[in-house]
Amino acid sequence: MHDLTLCVHHPAVNEEGYASLAVPTHRASTIVYPDGASFMARKCRGFDGYTYGLHGTPTTRALEAQLTALHGGVRTVLVPSGQAAVTIVMLSVLMPGDKVLIPDHAYPPVRSFCADYLAPRGIAYGVYDPMLGAGIADLIDDTVKLVWVESPGSNTMEVQDVPAIVAAAKGRGALVGCDNTWATPLIFKPLEHGADFACEALTKYVGGHSDLLLGSVTVKDMALRQKMKEILRGFGIGVSPDECQLALRGIETMGLRVTHMGKVSEDFAHRLVSHPVVERVLHPALPCCPGHDIWQRDMGRSSGLFSLVLKPVDEAAMSAALSSLRIFAIGASWGGTRSLVAPQVVAQDRTATRWEYQGPLLRISIGLEDPEELWADLGRLLDVLEQAPTSKAA
């Protein structure tokens, strides 16, 4: 070969005796074929084969298989974010004239997607009380094709009765999708409780280091997977093998991280109940949290995310309190090694149920820092609020 050709064609390397614990990162756009006949028959490879880099490489397949095993499914589909996991489910099963039901505590972009994308295209949506349980049967008519659950809600922490909702939906021919990001499959497995779709924002606990965006949908029905893959192919959506490699690395320590974060979050939740600035602690492990009995029955363990409803305080005091933090970072998302706090607005997003609290909601994500340093830092924030004139008046 001439030099220019040698620059392009990589030599074969003997891999005998080589073994690594790390999953290789296979990057590819073009998939090459050994001969003409193989290329002409490429459509026969299906979605489990390799046809084009957009549709998967061995790296993405490894992550799909690991998530499938954890959820007890048959296949997993990877998408660019947790939000994409929700929307791809809806796009794959809903047609004009159909309707989807979503809980009142759903991740706000899910509600926006229903209102701003689905509704203008003739797909209706309804919002239900997340604590409705089996009573959701009264809302399911012939147009409802999908019931969405998010348990617990990632802001307000209501734990939904997934088995009861599944039974009601299946009794009327509707599918059920579950956002399981808070619990991960280590704490709750939606497919084992009858859900059709188990969705995760892998950005959170699977990735675990606040450095990737990725989502997944796991199913037990190959036909549902086929529909999602067809939609993804039509939209030209794929995921990066580099993101998948980070997720594969993160998932190895997820069990230890979630266990530690859950224990710390439960400890903090119990200690915060009596704080004078705190109106209510929203943590599934506390009896005062909506759905606590369901959490005990179906989960019994916690991850690191919970919320505080604070007594009324003005924005200036909240800003000063947040600025006093030294260990906690201020930011959205959760599930990483760094602990986070983020004020959340809830009342304006509730339409099926009334949000009864006047004070702000502070969402807390426990990371891997020293727990006592975290406790002292949180105490510093609460001390600032306690000393604020508006806080005392409340």
Side-chain angles (χ1 to χ4, degrees), residues 259-279:
T259 296
H260 171 79
M261 294 168 177
K263 289 179 179 177
V264 175
S265 76
E266 288 189 20
D267 175 48
F268 280 19
H270 284 98
R271 293 162 72 176
L272 286 164
V273 167
S274 59
H275 196 283
V277 175
V278 176
E279 182 78 18

Side-chain angles (χ1 to χ4, degrees), residues 67 70-71 180 183-190 200 206 254:
L67 292 167
L70 282 168
H71 275 290
N180 194 54
T184 81
L186 303 179
I187 297 174
F188 186 71
K189 300 181 190 293
E200 303 267 351
V206 170
M254 180 173 68

Side-chain angles (χ1 to χ4, degrees), residues 264-276 278 281 306 308 325 327-328 339 364 366-367 369-383:
V264 175
S265 76
E266 288 189 20
D267 175 48
F268 280 19
H270 284 98
R271 293 162 72 176
L272 286 164
V273 167
S274 59
H275 196 283
V278 176
V281 181
F306 69 105
L308 302 178
L325 293 169
I327 307 296
F328 280 92
S339 295
I364 298 172
I366 298 297
E369 300 93 341
D370 179 80
E372 289 310 312
E373 283 195 306
L374 286 174
W375 179 253
D377 204 39
L378 192 57
R380 195 162 20 247
L381 177 148
L382 296 174
D383 286 346

Side-chain angles (χ1 to χ4, degrees), residues 172-192:
R172 285 163 170 73
L175 297 169
V176 177
C178 177
D179 185 334
N180 194 54
T181 305
W182 183 93
T184 81
L186 303 179
I187 297 174
F188 186 71
K189 300 181 190 293
L191 300 183
E192 290 187 357

Side-chain angles (χ1 to χ4, degrees), residues 144-163:
V144 174
K145 304 303 180 184
L146 177 66
V147 177
W148 194 254
V149 300
E150 180 182 313
S151 185
S154 61
N155 281 335
T156 54
M157 299 293 140
E158 294 107 320
V159 183
Q160 296 190 256
D161 193 339
V162 176

Side-chain angles (χ1 to χ4, degrees), residues 73-95:
V74 296
R75 288 294 187 279
T76 293
V77 171
L78 299 176
V79 290
S81 68
Q83 171 70 1
V86 179
T87 59
I88 202 64
V89 169
M90 294 184 179
L91 290 172
S92 68
V93 300
L94 298 172
M95 297 293 289

